[in-house]
Structures are given as C-alpha cells and as structure tokens.
C-alpha cells in the first residue's frame, strides 16, 4: 500500500511540474482558439486518483478482514475510540485527496476540450496549479492514517479476544504454549 502511494505522489508531482501555465491563443474570425502543448497532466491526474481509490479500498477492507481465521463483529471495532477517530480521519483525508486530485484534472480536461472561445479577451487558462501536488500529499497522509487505523484494529481484535477468553494455542514438539 505504501509503494502505491509513493508512486502516486511521484506521478502527481511530475504532472504538476509538467503543466504549462497557460495555452497559446490563436485569434481567428471572431473567436480565439486555445492551443495547449502536449503534457501528461490529465492522464497522470486520473491515474493518481485510481491509485488513491485502490489504496483506500485496500486499507478499508484490511480493517475488517479476519486474521488467523478469526473475525470479530464490526461493533467491537467501533467501540475503540482511537480506532473510530483514525478510521474517520482516514476516510476524510481520502475524500479530500480525491477532490484535490479530480478537481484540477477535470477542469484541465474541460479547458482542453472546449478550446474555442468567442470572447476575444480570453487568455487560454489552465487549471489552478498546486492542487494536484496538494492532493498527492493528502493521499500519502490518507495511506498513513489507514495504516494507523489497521494497527488500532489489531489492538481492538486482541482486546476483544482477551475479553472472550480466546487465546492462540501453538503446539511445539508436543508441548502446548500459549
């Protein structure tokens, strides 16, 4: 999960660095056509969003996956206050990261597809810079919060099974150890 986030952050920062500040206006008869140089901003923005979704879904599912063949009720996980706090922070940062990645990507795609303007004062805008880079760093934060939530879920599992009196018994050369 961490490798995916590092790759996503690198791609997003590259997309931010390669993005041109504006397009080139070409004036025609009563219109301005904006010509934008080729750059990977849109593709890398959507790819970063896809990696964020994969990492967040993996983080979410890993919290409720039964470890060592033992599962606990979700209500038992959500009784742990620390888990609830970090779970909600992880969800929130994933949503914020998605917004910060999709907003400039969709706006940039709109600028490139609707490049004919009837206003002769048009300066051929591009999407706001800095949002993709911010989205990359919030995505990294989200992955870290999913990791902390996973560690807290593991603690909640241990507490749940201790309360229920379930212990792991391992047989070592005919001797039971717990």
């Amino acid at each position: 999960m961490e490798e995916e986030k590092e790759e996503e952050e690198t791609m997003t920062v590259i997309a931010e660095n390669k993005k041109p500040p504006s397009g080139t206006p070409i004036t025609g008869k009563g219109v301005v056509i904006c010509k934008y140089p080729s750059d990977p901003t849109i593709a890398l923005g959507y790819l970063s969003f896809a990696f964020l979704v994969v990492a967040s879904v993996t983080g979410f599912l890993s919290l409720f996956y039964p470890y060592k063949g033992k599962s606990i009720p979700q209500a038992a996980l959500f009784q742990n206050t620390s888990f609830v706090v970090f779970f909600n922070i992880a969800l929130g940062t994933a949503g914020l990261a998605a917004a910060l990645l999709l907003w400039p990507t969709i706006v940039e795609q709109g600028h490139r597809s609707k490049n004919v303007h009837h206003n002769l004062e048009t300066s051929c805008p591009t999407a706001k810079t800095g949002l993709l880079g911010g989205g990359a760093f919030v995505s990294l934060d989200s992955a870290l919060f999913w990791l902390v939530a996973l560690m807290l879920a593991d603690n909640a599992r241990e507490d749940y099974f201790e309360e229920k009196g379930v212990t792991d018994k391992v047989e070592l050369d005919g001797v039971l150890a717990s």
Side-chain angles (χ1 to χ4, degrees):
M1 187 162 75
E2 285 298 315
E3 289 175 12
E4 288 175 354
K5 296 311 283 178
E6 288 175 14
E7 185 176 322
E8 172 195 339
E9 184 177 319
T10 303
M11 286 188 302
T12 307
V13 172
I14 289 171
E16 191 76 30
N17 289 337
K18 301 277 185 190
K19 190 170 134 345
S22 65
T24 306
I26 301 170
T27 308
K29 269 189 168 179
V31 296
V32 173
I33 301 171
C34 295
K35 181 165 175 29
Y36 294 97
S38 175
D39 73 299
T41 303
I42 296 169
L44 292 177
Y46 284 127
L47 194 57
S48 295
F49 174 73
F51 277 116
L52 171 66
V53 169
V54 167
S56 296
V57 167
T58 302
F60 181 85
L61 293 177
S62 68
L63 297 175
F64 306 106
Y65 185 80
Y67 290 99
K68 299 178 184 174
K70 294 189 265 180
S71 62
I72 65 171
Q74 290 182 7
L77 282 176
F78 287 104
Q79 287 177 352
N80 184 325
T81 306
S82 298
F83 173 79
V84 171
V85 168
F86 279 93
F87 177 78
N88 286 322
I89 291 173
L91 281 176
T93 55
L96 178 61
L100 288 173
L101 292 173
L102 285 177
W103 179 14
T105 304
I106 292 170
V107 167
E108 185 70 22
Q109 186 176 16
H111 286 311
R112 289 174 185 266
S113 64
K114 297 175 180 136
N115 63 345
V116 178
H117 303 279
H118 296 286
N119 180 0
L120 299 177
E121 303 290 322
T122 300
S123 61
C124 296
T126 59
K128 186 168 177 63
T129 58
L131 292 177
L132 283 174
F137 290 113
V138 175
S139 294
L140 178 62
D141 293 341
S142 175
L144 295 174
F145 284 121
W146 283 118
L147 181 63
V148 171
L150 181 60
M151 291 188 290
L152 291 169
D154 191 41
N155 290 347
R157 276 186 196 88
E158 288 176 11
D159 293 345
Y160 176 79
F161 287 122
E162 281 178 10
E163 289 174 8
K164 295 292 181 190
V166 176
T167 58
D168 291 330
K169 301 248 186 225
V170 180
E171 188 173 335
L172 303 171
D173 294 330
V175 178
L176 282 179
S178 56

